[in-house]
């Protein structure tokens, strides 16, 4: 059963296991810095399955007007199982008072991902629809 948390009860080994499962090689020699960055984030929402960290969204900003999603990671074994949707819904609920949320995508973004983000309330911005998404405050 998937459990979500907005707490900071995430261990170093949990972070390392999740990020390395995705092949985030830019972090492999900087795991200490990544762990500190995760813990220093304004918002953290995690997904757990039987005590294993399987997903994480984290963002930083000014807590009122703007937040920037730094990472949105789902363990490969748990993709296409609704974990991303549950995480995003919990994140959007936690940040409901934030006016704008920016989500920067790395690399090519599939039509499915773009449409899913639009379904979640994000809008494409700039000349590259796969690059930046913005979520405006809901009223």
């Amino acid at each position: 059963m998937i459990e979500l948390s907005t707490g900071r009860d995430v261990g170093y080994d949990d972070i390392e296991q999740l990020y390395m499962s995705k092949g985030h090689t830019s972090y492999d020699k900087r795991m200490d810095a990544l762990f500190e960055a995760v813990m220093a984030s304004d918002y953290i929402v995690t997904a757990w399955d039987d005590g294993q960290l399987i997903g994480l969204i984290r963002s930083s900003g000014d807590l009122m007007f703007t937040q920037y999603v730094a990472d949105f990671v789902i363990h490969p074994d748990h993709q296409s199982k609704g974990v991303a949707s549950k995480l995003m819904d919990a994140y959007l609920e936690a940040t409901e008072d934030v006016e704008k949320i920016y989500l920067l995508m790395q690399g090519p973004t599939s039509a499915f991902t773009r449409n899913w983000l639009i379904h979640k309330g994000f809008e494409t911005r700039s000349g590259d629809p796969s690059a930046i998404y913005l979520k405006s405050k809901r009223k």
Side-chain angles (χ1 to χ4, degrees):
M1 181 169 154
I2 305 301
E3 295 179 24
L4 300 177
S5 174
T6 56
R8 297 184 184 270
D9 52 343
V10 183
Y12 179 95
D13 291 340
D14 298 319
I15 296 293
E16 182 176 42
Q17 176 273 325
L18 177 63
Y19 280 78
M20 291 296 100
S21 75
K22 297 289 291 179
H24 285 274
T25 55
S26 64
Y27 294 126
D28 64 355
K29 292 185 174 37
R30 302 189 65 215
M31 200 54 61
D32 291 342
L34 173 63
F35 181 73
E36 287 180 33
V38 169
M39 290 299 109
S41 298
D42 294 333
Y43 292 95
I44 301 171
V45 180
T46 54
W48 301 82
D49 185 17
D50 255 350
Q52 178 188 7
L53 180 64
I54 61 167
L56 176 142
I57 296 178
R58 70 182 186 95
S59 70
S60 295
D62 61 25
L63 299 169
M64 295 179 288
F65 300 106
T66 308
Q67 283 290 299
Y68 297 91
V69 174
D71 290 314
F72 185 12
V73 183
I74 307 295
H75 192 286
D77 293 345
H78 295 272
Q79 291 178 347
S80 301
K81 295 181 180 179
V83 175
S85 244
K86 289 176 183 176
L87 263 176
M88 182 59 76
D89 290 345
Y91 173 78
L92 292 175
E93 182 178 325
T95 60
E96 68 184 351
D97 292 332
V98 176
E99 200 166 302
K100 294 179 183 174
I101 298 169
Y102 291 92
L103 175 67
L104 307 171
M105 304 299 289
Q106 294 179 348
T109 305
S110 70
F112 174 84
T113 299
R114 284 191 305 275
N115 289 334
W116 180 79
L117 286 167
I118 290 167
H119 170 73
K120 292 293 182 184
F122 288 82
E123 302 169 7
T124 58
R125 292 286 189 216
S126 82
D128 182 0
S130 68
I132 300 175
Y133 291 85
L134 162 73
K135 171 72 173 87
S136 296
K137 185 174 181 179
R138 295 175 285 194
K139 287 274 180 179

